[in-house]
Amino acid sequence: MSSPRRDDGEDVLEGLPRGSPRKFQTTHWSLIAVVRQGTASEAHEALSTLCRLYWYPLYAFTRRQGRGPEDARDLVQGFFMRMLEKNDLATVDRQRGRFRSWLLSSLKHYLSNEWDRERAQKRGSGLTPVSIDAEDAEGRYQHEPSHSLTPEKLYERRWALTLLEHVLSTLEQECARLGRQQLFEKLRGTLTGDVEKQPYAKVGETLKMSEDAVKLAAYRLRGRYRELLRAEIAQTVEQPEDIDDELRLLLVSLE
């Protein structure tokens, strides 16, 4: 299939990776390896990246458990701080299950112990791997579905949405590097379905592209989005054949 072009003949998606999806420079398991084997500063940076990916799903789980906003924030920060101090990630075995399941199990164990809010705050006085914005955290939580979702189901839902947001951000960065930010913004709705999509003809008028070129660009972006999603999921499972099952679980968690 030919690449979509502007009316002036320029390939509007020239430079986007094609064929097999590339791996992210930092994946869940490569980050864990750095936490285990890197220097202290490298381990802290890698753990900070993992924390940024997972802090909100864990925060939402803790809030749904009945903890107040301040307690939930302090407990999640304390949990990550303990992971850094105790090098808990050294015990993670990729062959024994999903990393997010291990993470949730570890948080449950942490919450069942004596780590109350006061102690979590004291532990947070050192080198914390993640800083949680209280207003942002609670603002997001107030938009969560009704309390019919169990804490575990809410955690799975939030993990899925966080992963999708990460993939979308990666695709946006790819387009931005190629000077295609405006095209991406116009076609974002074809990827997420959460905003009103503009007619392709109107997008074409704005970007000086033919309607057919816009349709092809949207097709290419959706394909790349799927590639990146599968590549990201591949970093959270043990075997390639597990990717499709994980995709199904992701869709179920969003229902």
Side-chain angles (χ1 to χ4, degrees), residues 52-223:
R52 285 193 294 271
L53 290 172
Y54 284 97
W55 77 262
Y56 182 70
L58 293 174
Y59 175 87
F61 172 85
T62 306
R63 285 285 283 117
R64 190 56 56 93
Q65 285 272 39
R67 303 277 185 168
E70 290 187 8
D71 280 353
R73 184 186 71 243
D74 291 336
L75 285 165
V76 172
Q77 286 178 320
F79 169 67
F80 282 128
M81 193 64 200
R82 183 182 183 279
M83 286 179 59
L84 179 64
E85 293 179 347
K86 302 295 184 180
N87 194 25
D88 287 345
L89 289 178
T91 66
V92 181
D93 184 352
R94 182 170 182 172
Q95 298 183 17
R96 297 183 62 182
R98 300 176 177 88
F99 173 68
R100 71 176 186 280
S101 299
W102 176 88
L103 195 64
L104 181 59
S105 177
S106 297
L107 176 67
K108 288 179 177 179
H109 180 73
Y110 177 84
L111 294 178
S112 70
N113 288 332
E114 75 277 9
W115 304 101
D116 58 18
R117 180 171 65 88
E118 181 180 359
R119 189 164 188 180
Q121 287 178 320
K122 290 180 180 179
R123 293 173 66 84
S125 62
L127 188 63
T128 56
V130 61
S131 177
I132 298 176
D133 184 294
E135 184 175 348
D136 173 59
E138 194 57 20
R140 293 170 66 178
Y141 182 74
Q142 292 304 319
H143 288 88
E144 295 294 351
S146 69
H147 285 268
S148 60
L149 282 181
T150 66
E152 288 78 9
K153 288 183 178 179
L154 181 58
Y155 172 77
E156 289 290 330
R157 175 182 174 82
R158 265 299 138 192
W159 166 80
L161 289 172
T162 297
L163 185 141
L164 292 175
E165 290 166 2
H166 179 61
V167 171
L168 190 66
S169 176
T170 299
L171 180 55
E172 181 177 11
Q173 291 169 22
E174 286 186 355
C175 291
R177 286 196 299 269
L178 299 170
R180 312 304 186 202
Q181 182 73 35
Q182 190 178 12
L183 175 66
F184 176 85
E185 291 298 334
K186 293 295 184 182
L187 297 178
R188 179 192 292 266
T190 68
L191 303 173
T192 63
D194 59 359
V195 294
E196 184 177 352
K197 295 182 288 188
Q198 294 188 40
Y200 289 141
K202 186 173 181 61
V203 173
E205 290 177 7
T206 302
L207 302 180
K208 298 181 180 180
M209 297 167 58
S210 69
E211 183 176 359
D212 286 343
V214 176
K215 289 180 180 179
L216 284 172
Y219 175 82
R220 284 279 305 282
L221 281 175
R222 288 194 296 270

Side-chain angles (χ1 to χ4, degrees), residues 5-66:
R5 296 179 180 273
R6 294 179 185 271
D7 290 343
D8 59 11
E10 181 184 359
D11 188 337
V12 299
L13 291 177
E14 182 64 35
L16 274 182
R18 308 187 186 196
S20 299
R22 67 171 176 82
K23 292 183 178 180
F24 294 120
Q25 291 181 345
T26 53
T27 66
H28 301 200
W29 292 106
S30 64
L31 287 169
I32 291 171
V34 173
V35 173
R36 289 171 170 170
Q37 303 168 8
T39 65
S41 61
E42 290 172 341
H44 182 271
E45 183 178 354
L47 181 58
S48 294
T49 300
L50 284 170
C51 292
R52 285 193 294 271
L53 290 172
Y54 284 97
W55 77 262
Y56 182 70
L58 293 174
Y59 175 87
F61 172 85
T62 306
R63 285 285 283 117
R64 190 56 56 93
Q65 285 272 39

Side-chain angles (χ1 to χ4, degrees), residues 228-254:
L228 290 172
L229 177 58
R230 292 184 67 85
E232 177 69 359
I233 288 178
Q235 304 310 311
T236 70
V237 296
E238 172 58 19
Q239 301 293 337
E241 54 266 28
D242 296 333
I243 295 176
D244 288 335
D245 286 340
E246 194 72 349
L247 274 170
R248 282 190 286 270
L249 286 174
L250 183 148
L251 292 175
V252 168
S253 70
L254 295 175

